[in-house]
Amino acid sequence: MATSSEVKVPRNFRLLEELEEGQKGEGDGTVSWGLEDDEDMTLTRWTGMIIGPARTNYENRIYSLKVECGPRYPETAPTVRFVTKISMNGINNSNGTVDSRSIPILAKWQNSYSIKIVLQELRRLMMSKENMKLPQPPEGQTYST
Amino acid sequence: MTRKLTPNPSCSIGGVKMADQGVADPGNNNNNKPETSEGTIIKVTVKTPKDKEEIAIAEDASVTQFKEEISRRFKAKQDQLVLIFAGKILKDGDSLSQHGIKDGLTVHLVIKTAHNPSLCNYLHSNTTSGFGDLASLAGLGMGSANFMELQQQMQRQLMSNPEMLSQIMENPLVQNMMSNPDLMRQMIMANPQMQQLMERNPEISHMLNNPELMRQTMELARNPAMMQEMMRNQDRALSNLESIPGGYNALRRMYTDIQEPMFSAAREQFGSNPFSALGGSSESGAQPSRTENREPLPNPWGPPNSSNPSESGGSTTGSTSTTGGSNPSVSNPLGINPGSLGNGMFSSPGMQSLLQQISENPQLMQNMLSAPYMRSMMSSLAQNPELASQVLMNNPLFAGNPQLQEQFRAQLPIFLQQMQNPESMSVMTNPRAMQALMQIQQGLQTLQTEAPGLMPRYAPTGRYTLDNGFQLFCFFWPSLMTGGIPGIPTGGGMPVENPAPSPSSAATNTAQQQLMQQMLQMFAGGGAGGSTQTPEVRFQSQLDQLNAMGFINREANLQALIATGGDINAAIERLLGSQPS
């Protein structure tokens, strides 16, 4: 994958790569992502999954997310939204949207970032001191939107 | 069901064959299907955070069938399995092909375990002393004749299998333990190997004394990689101990230096630290062997010591870790409130969590007591009181407290009889009996704090109480097991008083009653000794301050102040810690 700033990687190229990566299960197995709808030609809507890190209040839980990669992805950051209810800094409590200004990599997005990195970063934030002990809603609840 | 995805026919996408095969076919693995033609068996990698397996399954299989295979391979129950592919959870009713799972792809697996009872099997390692002590408890159920051998074996296994280590670390029980620096410190200290280590490396003792550092170390330790590193370092250090210059006295001295902060950490459980004068201020270097310590013990129930600032951090952790109501909960089936467990000198936070763990797992106690060598050890101890006393003396917790030693020695014959008494055995294994013991303990403690004048005064010598015997027993057991007297499996601590008299012989019963009385007296005397003022009067100013700060629950304030001996900061932390977070 091209990481130099001179070469602009076509959006779909990137997204297809990410799709492939998601299906191959690259990484440590704590996040997973894939197309929400396999027939989605635009590769816009993705679902992601984060496995709550151990020794936090998120432990043993599986968080489902929706990631939307707009037309200008990867130049612009995707929008991310939690489907599973979660209590975490930067996540809107009522609808699960991830505030792009509060999550560092979304705020300072670079085109070398990817959905995987977003998911992993969110997972890492779950382990931060400020988040790890937040009381969580009961398991299995989802946002209504 | 292939997917056609050609968003932009003019763009050439390297590395991914677009053609007709659909996107989810990386690198064209169609040709890699073994033996049969397309459609039958595919190899899917199933990956957990810890390991991965390749599973062969029919391409048109359902998720349920897939889970069956997985549960066999991963030795987990099917309903514990959660499968994730491409960001979606695979539901049992789906089929693999529905999700586009093809040969060579990876599916993520999460095995849901609420509480892992196989923890006991894992903790058989003495690679770190902290583990060692709990491991001793757990490993007793194995009934190995040679405990050291078992430990070594598990140590070897552990070293060779980092996975196991990470599994251990993942276990919530271990995590609870590890997240309590006081407990860790205590366990570490109780291990004679560790003491030797500390003698060699004073930095370690400094590290243990500093709660902040302890906590950091615990954070490090949670990371399995660091843990391994630590273990290796420790092994190296231990091997250096071969050439220990026999400085047993030096060891004791060293240990006493550490006792002070250790017991200061436990101080919040009882008014003051009886050992503080021993270890801390005066004789850092000049203390002779512990049995010769003639310095009078300070009155543990005298005017409260000024708080040790470095320990307030420890107390914080201690207080947060000792919250827990008396209501039975899932993790605390006997409803034991560790915060009120114990006025004995071993009722540190570490002890309490240990107790809690034991109460949560009565099987543990059962295993412990039914181990065959346990019985043989008991009988040998009973026959040889000298041995028992030696064993007890070796326990560094007694170091520096000759009066306590005297007491124990006096009690030994009775104690040994007690231990022989299968009734006391059954008491210890009977969770309800243990609970009753705890309740009595709690009641006594409440009495002590609420109406100190009620109990007759008694010269405070050592504060050991009703269930102290049990505490001591539990506490001694691992430390003694791991190295009290070489070659001799060790005995427990003080007798467990059997409140429900079930005499097997008149002699035993009388002894029990005597013991009971003595204990009560000592306990009560401990509570009342030293000051005729009620705690309320003594802590009046502190209570006012707490009130001003907004802690309006006078009862709770009083309790906290009593427990911390008048230390406002520690009391506040205690109060805060008891609130649900």
Side-chain angles (χ1 to χ4, degrees):
Chain A
M1 182 181 117
T3 51
S4 73
S5 52
E6 294 101 34
V7 178
K8 259 184 67 169
V9 178
R11 172 185 182 272
N12 296 331
F13 181 15
R14 264 292 298 273
L15 288 171
L16 283 171
E17 269 197 357
E18 297 199 40
L19 184 59
E20 179 178 339
E21 213 184 346
Q23 295 185 330
K24 275 187 171 156
E26 302 288 327
D28 54 3
T30 49
V31 297
S32 172
W33 64 100
L35 271 182
E36 181 176 332
D37 177 5
D38 291 332
E39 311 290 331
D40 179 7
M41 305 290 190
T42 59
L43 302 175
T44 309
R45 277 201 294 284
W46 296 68
T47 59
M49 199 77 63
I50 299 179
I51 297 173
R55 289 178 297 280
T56 64
N57 283 359
Y58 308 98
E59 177 172 19
N60 264 341
R61 299 196 188 197
I62 300 174
Y63 289 95
S64 182
L65 298 90
K66 284 205 196 305
V67 180
E68 199 156 309
C69 298
R72 298 235 296 278
Y73 180 90
E75 299 302 321
T76 48
T79 57
V80 187
R81 186 167 78 76
F82 271 84
V83 174
T84 317
K85 276 207 179 155
I86 186 173
S87 168
M88 188 168 145
N89 284 324
I91 316 283
N92 184 312
N93 256 329
S94 51
N95 57 16
T97 48
V98 174
D99 183 6
S100 299
R101 293 157 302 176
S102 324
I103 308 296
I105 60 159
L106 292 178
K108 295 201 187 40
W109 178 262
Q110 296 180 11
N111 58 12
S112 53
Y113 293 158
S114 64
I115 298 174
K116 163 171 119 180
I117 293 182
V118 173
L119 294 177
Q120 286 177 335
E121 175 71 8
L122 286 171
R123 186 172 191 274
R124 198 185 60 78
L125 288 173
M126 288 183 190
M127 297 198 274
S128 71
K129 285 267 180 293
E130 49 173 23
N131 282 323
M132 65 191 287
K133 293 241 187 289
L134 289 177
Q136 294 300 316
E139 240 181 294
Q141 288 188 352
T142 58
Y143 292 105
S144 46
T145 48
Chain B
M1 197 185 344
T2 58
R3 248 169 278 122
K4 290 194 168 51
L5 198 62
T6 53
N8 187 349
S10 69
C11 82
S12 63
I13 299 178
V16 177
K17 298 250 167 85
M18 292 302 298
D20 307 301
Q21 291 160 353
V23 182
D25 202 356
N28 187 9
N29 283 335
N30 268 344
N31 298 333
N32 293 348
K33 289 211 178 95
E35 305 114 21
T36 59
S37 61
E38 65 167 22
T40 318
I41 304 288
I42 54 173
K43 280 211 166 82
V44 181
T45 307
V46 177
K47 208 169 169 191
T48 67
K50 298 181 196 68
D51 67 343
K52 67 182 189 185
E53 296 259 354
E54 219 177 62
I55 300 207
I57 187 94
E59 195 186 38
D60 51 3
S62 69
V63 172
T64 314
Q65 290 169 324
F66 194 33
K67 278 192 178 177
E68 268 172 31
E69 187 64 35
I70 292 179
S71 83
R72 269 198 289 269
R73 197 74 80 81
F74 283 85
K75 316 254 185 312
K77 294 217 264 306
Q78 249 182 283
D79 43 8
Q80 288 175 308
L81 305 178
V82 179
L83 288 171
I84 296 172
F85 178 72
K88 296 199 199 76
I89 295 187
L90 306 182
K91 305 215 193 333
D92 286 352
D94 301 338
S95 76
L96 295 186
S97 49
Q98 219 176 319
H99 285 277
I101 298 177
K102 290 188 168 11
D103 186 57
L105 294 186
T106 301
V107 171
H108 296 297
L109 171 68
V110 177
I111 301 182
K112 290 191 159 273
T113 50
H115 171 72
N116 190 357
S118 60
L119 169 71
C120 296
N121 297 330
Y122 288 139
L123 290 185
H124 291 159
S125 161
N126 199 19
T127 49
T128 60
S129 333
F131 272 173
D133 286 336
L134 187 61
S136 320
L137 280 179
L140 291 177
M142 313 300 277
S144 159
N146 185 349
F147 193 60
M148 291 304 189
E149 184 187 276
L150 181 70
Q151 277 188 337
Q152 284 175 7
Q153 203 184 25
M154 294 312 294
Q155 180 171 354
R156 253 177 275 124
Q157 260 197 29
L158 193 66
M159 286 301 268
S160 61
N161 181 7
E163 294 282 295
M164 189 200 274
L165 181 60
S166 59
Q167 276 175 342
I168 293 176
M169 297 310 296
E170 300 276 316
N171 191 292
L173 202 59
V174 175
Q175 286 159 22
N176 279 341
M177 194 175 80
M178 297 290 280
S179 56
N180 180 0
D182 286 315
L183 170 61
M184 291 312 291
R185 168 171 42 196
Q186 190 160 22
M187 286 181 141
I188 289 175
M189 297 234 184
N191 189 327
Q193 277 179 324
M194 195 58 196
Q195 292 161 30
Q196 290 174 345
L197 188 63
M198 288 197 305
E199 189 200 2
R200 300 298 289 185
N201 312 333
E203 311 88 52
I204 292 189
S205 71
H206 290 150
M207 173 193 96
L208 286 171
N209 288 342
N210 183 352
E212 201 41 55
L213 204 45
M214 274 295 277
R215 225 173 286 127
Q216 286 176 17
T217 313
M218 291 310 118
E219 290 300 320
L220 277 182
R222 282 196 206 139
N223 180 350
M226 276 312 289
M227 188 63 156
Q228 268 193 316
E229 200 50 49
M230 258 171 61
M231 277 169 14
R232 269 183 232 120
N233 285 342
Q234 179 152 355
D235 278 342
R236 253 177 273 134
L238 282 178
S239 58
N240 289 343
L241 294 179
E242 306 295 337
S243 57
I244 230 187
Y248 198 40
N249 286 343
L251 178 66
R252 286 185 197 148
R253 210 185 317 134
M254 187 76 170
Y255 192 81
T256 319
D257 284 347
I258 291 155
Q259 262 187 347
E260 194 261 336
M262 181 168 118
F263 282 105
S264 296
R267 190 163 51 86
E268 63 175 285
Q269 304 306 322
F270 56 97
S272 63
N273 181 2
F275 301 108
S276 57
L278 293 180
S281 48
S282 46
E283 57 276 314
S284 41
Q287 184 177 357
S289 86
R290 54 182 173 224
T291 49
E292 293 173 49
N293 178 22
R294 308 239 183 265
E295 222 183 87
L297 281 176
N299 184 351
W301 300 278
N305 284 339
S306 62
S307 119
N308 183 349
S310 79
E311 291 310 309
S312 55
S315 326
T316 313
T317 323
S319 59
T320 47
S321 76
T322 56
T323 61
S326 316
N327 301 323
S329 63
V330 172
S331 66
N332 189 357
L334 299 184
I336 297 208
N337 180 358
S340 69
L341 272 188
N343 230 351
M345 72 170 154
F346 303 111
S347 56
S348 63
M351 197 56 219
Q352 287 168 4
S353 0
L354 198 58
L355 276 174
Q356 189 178 11
Q357 285 158 9
I358 289 193
S359 57
E360 286 168 29
N361 187 1
Q363 197 55 31
L364 203 60
M365 202 62 202
Q366 183 85 38
N367 287 343
M368 224 168 87
L369 287 175
S370 55
Y373 54 91
M374 169 83 176
R375 297 207 187 280
S376 64
M377 153 182 39
M378 287 300 183
S379 50
S380 65
L381 272 180
Q383 288 151 16
N384 190 352
E386 264 311 303
L387 201 58
S389 66
Q390 247 190 325
V391 153
L392 284 178
M393 296 321 122
N394 265 347
N395 188 314
L397 288 165
F398 285 114
N401 188 355
Q403 293 179 333
L404 205 53
Q405 292 168 5
E406 300 299 327
Q407 281 178 356
F408 283 154
R409 269 194 220 109
Q411 302 295 347
L412 261 176
I414 306 177
F415 157 60
L416 290 169
Q417 265 189 328
Q418 285 265 321
M419 295 312 285
Q420 293 290 79
N421 181 3
E423 280 305 326
S424 18
M425 297 282 206
S426 63
V427 162
M428 282 195 269
T429 59
N430 181 356
R432 280 185 297 287
M434 287 319 307
Q435 192 178 10
L437 272 177
M438 304 294 184
Q439 283 174 355
I440 291 180
Q441 166 90 37
Q442 292 174 25
L444 280 172
Q445 187 181 13
T446 317
L447 258 183
Q448 179 211 355
T449 57
E450 297 301 319
L454 192 64
M455 303 287 199
R457 197 184 280 230
Y458 190 86
T461 51
R463 302 173 51 131
Y464 75 107
T465 67
L466 210 47
D467 76 334
N468 213 25
F470 176 56
Q471 290 181 2
L472 297 186
F473 178 78
C474 294
F475 200 87
F476 290 4
W477 174 254
S479 59
L480 293 176
M481 273 305 293
T482 54
I485 290 192
I488 310 274
T490 60
M494 280 312 297
V496 174
E497 188 50 45
N498 188 348
S502 47
S504 59
S505 73
T508 320
N509 198 17
T510 322
Q512 280 181 359
Q513 285 173 352
Q514 278 177 4
L515 207 48
M516 170 87 152
Q517 258 195 332
Q518 265 181 330
M519 281 174 142
L520 268 176
Q521 277 178 347
M522 268 184 267
F523 177 91
S531 160
T532 48
Q533 291 178 316
T534 68
E536 264 198 8
V537 174
R538 269 190 289 150
F539 298 139
Q540 190 53 46
S541 66
Q542 286 98 331
L543 275 172
D544 289 344
Q545 287 187 24
L546 285 175
N547 248 329
M549 282 189 231
F551 295 99
I552 49 181
N553 185 348
R554 196 174 166 78
E555 284 304 316
N557 293 352
L558 194 55
Q559 294 290 337
L561 279 170
I562 290 173
T564 62
D567 173 14
I568 293 197
N569 287 330
I572 289 176
E573 278 157 1
R574 225 176 133 68
L575 289 167
L576 286 174
S578 64
Q579 289 166 14
S581 62

